[in-house]
Amino acid sequence: MAVSSCARAFPSFQCRSDPDFSGGVPRHDVPNAGVRFSVKANSLSRGSSVHGMSSLILRFPPNFVRQLSVKARRNCSNIGVAQVVAASWSNNYASPDFTPAAKAVDSAAAIAPLDITTGDGEVAVVEDLPRADRNVQIEDLTGVKYSSFLSSDGSIAIHAGERLGRGIVTDAITTPVVNTSAYFFKKTSDLIDFKEKRRASFEYGRYGNPTTIVAEEKISALEGAESTLLMASGMCASTVLLLALVPAGGHIVTTTDCYRKTRIFIETILPKMGISATVIDPADIGALESVLNQKKVTLFFTESPTNPFLRCVDIQLVSKLCHEKGALVCIDGTFATPLNQKALALGADLVVHSATKYLGGHNDVLGGCISGPDKLVSVVRTLHHILGGAINPNAAYLIIRGMKTLHLRVQQQNSTAQRIAEILEAHPKVRCVYYPGLPNHPEHHLAKRQMTGFGGVVSFEVDGDLLTTAKFVDALKIPYIAPSFGGCESIVDQPAIMSYWDLSQSERAKYGIMDNLVRFSFGVEDFEDLKADVLQALESI
């Protein structure tokens, strides 16, 4: 029977020639059992040769073929096969007997129609694959770098980690999700080769995953980083980084305005480990110089822009001052995104993101990442392997998918936020607006210098008390009342209630959180719709 769509997919994957489905070059001495490609005599086409290959063997796990219905085998797609094969994948680049999949495709393309013989005696014809139909794999583009043909972050966000360099050998456009908790080794010598770094694998799911690697490489390409480590959440990334890089007795400098859970960790958890901290205003360079001169500072850690007042730190100057004293600089760039700000290029040692926000971009996934030189990221990675907090490969896939529209979303969100901020600033029922794109923002000129866009979040104070502000929030029809930001859907929250409700009014005021403060994350809805919604809500109070 003809099984063209399913069978066409088979030659594109790394062929497994042994009954245990382990890696290696297809061998000629394997008995004719399982699934077999048999090459008919004198079947070479277009002058191509098979380089002495008399048969190409593909073996799948026992009962694999029988478990596929006739209909499934007839309609099987590349991605379906990719997920089945990738689940048992152990792609050993470093192994001397590893055969790149593109070469297998070359050989398969040179072979005339083949017969697939299954253990059930069923025969399926694999039609000849014209060379023009082959998909381009990394082996076909050896030496080609992103910068040679991708000129923008938008293109890099789509193709980095996938079109060039994806570890999973597949012709599928999208990266397969590898749902596995462990990776096997064919024999003990392979395990020893892995332990001594002569063989590439992951050993255990907590130590790495092929799908996750793609997401990490995509983020690295955007940030201009040597290495990226993806974890289960943004807070996981921040806390593991601090624990890994700051020793007992170390000192941290951070800023007054920051995500509350980060501040709680720095002020209440780290002191139990002998780590102290100094908190300064984001723009107070004098205070930074003072603490650098008085204490042995290990790390300067802050957001830029900050949460929720969108203050900006002079990353270039701060990095220069800290490096002169031997201190590291880590910037949480979640509000900025890698498109609006390149913290590493400005001098920072590390950049952290809550991938839950703009990178994922669809309010449907949790994740966090750390990017920077491999020397530093490796230190964090070692502790991460001990503590856990590994991201699920399905979540990594959602981040990969989300990043492909990152540049489109951020452009729209930048534009909407800037225009709405200007409208709010001029509105009589708004006391003040916090947005780095406005000339009256305290770090506006700094933001213009180190950012290419000012982000999609605008914070502002309504002219009224807690209840008046809540009335405004409730009158909005488009945004959801929720604690996150950076997604396609607009989100609004009243920080005094959403994030600080457990504190008294006077305690909230110490952090600048007034009862009338609103944080508005603009999604990708039409600007005119959002403008009309904001104005009608203001008119209701």
Side-chain angles (χ1 to χ4, degrees), residues 322-404:
C322 288
H323 292 162
E324 289 174 352
K325 296 294 184 177
L328 297 173
V329 173
C330 179
I331 301 296
D332 184 331
T334 301
F335 272 78
T337 79
L339 302 189
N340 286 332
Q341 179 176 276
K342 305 288 188 185
L344 299 180
L346 290 167
D349 299 287
L350 295 160
V351 61
V352 172
H353 289 279
S354 171
T356 306
K357 311 305 191 296
Y358 288 101
L359 297 186
H362 290 76
N363 293 316
D364 60 1
V365 63
L366 293 177
C369 62
I370 301 165
S371 300
D374 187 62
K375 181 178 180 180
L376 290 176
V377 175
S378 294
V379 175
V380 183
R381 192 185 304 273
T382 298
L383 181 60
H384 167 60
H385 289 172
I386 296 170
L387 297 179
I391 192 168
N392 186 284
N394 295 279
Y397 173 81
L398 289 175
I399 292 169
I400 293 169
R401 186 188 66 174
M403 289 182 66
K404 294 185 180 184

Side-chain angles (χ1 to χ4, degrees), residues 458-488:
V458 178
S459 294
F460 55 97
E461 293 179 6
V462 172
D463 187 12
D465 58 11
L466 182 81
L467 294 180
T468 301
T469 305
K471 184 179 179 182
F472 161 75
V473 170
D474 290 344
L476 291 164
K477 294 180 171 60
I478 294 177
Y480 291 93
I481 301 174
S484 193
F485 63 90
C488 291

Side-chain angles (χ1 to χ4, degrees), residues 260-339:
R260 189 185 176 198
K261 293 299 190 294
T262 305
R263 177 166 49 234
I264 289 173
F265 183 77
I266 291 174
E267 293 181 346
T268 65
I269 306 299
L270 290 183
K272 298 177 182 179
M273 303 173 188
I275 297 172
S276 56
T278 297
V279 182
I280 64 173
D281 184 271
D284 195 343
I285 297 300
L288 174 61
E289 290 179 308
S290 177
V291 69
L292 285 171
N293 290 328
Q294 294 175 19
K295 297 181 180 291
K296 179 61 177 177
V297 176
T298 306
L299 176 70
F300 177 84
F301 184 96
T302 189
E303 304 158 9
S304 187
T306 60
N307 181 17
F309 294 108
L310 304 162
R311 299 290 303 278
C312 297
V313 174
D314 190 333
I315 300 173
Q316 189 170 21
L317 178 57
V318 163
S319 298
K320 177 179 179 295
L321 295 173
C322 288
H323 292 162
E324 289 174 352
K325 296 294 184 177
L328 297 173
V329 173
C330 179
I331 301 296
D332 184 331
T334 301
F335 272 78
T337 79
L339 302 189

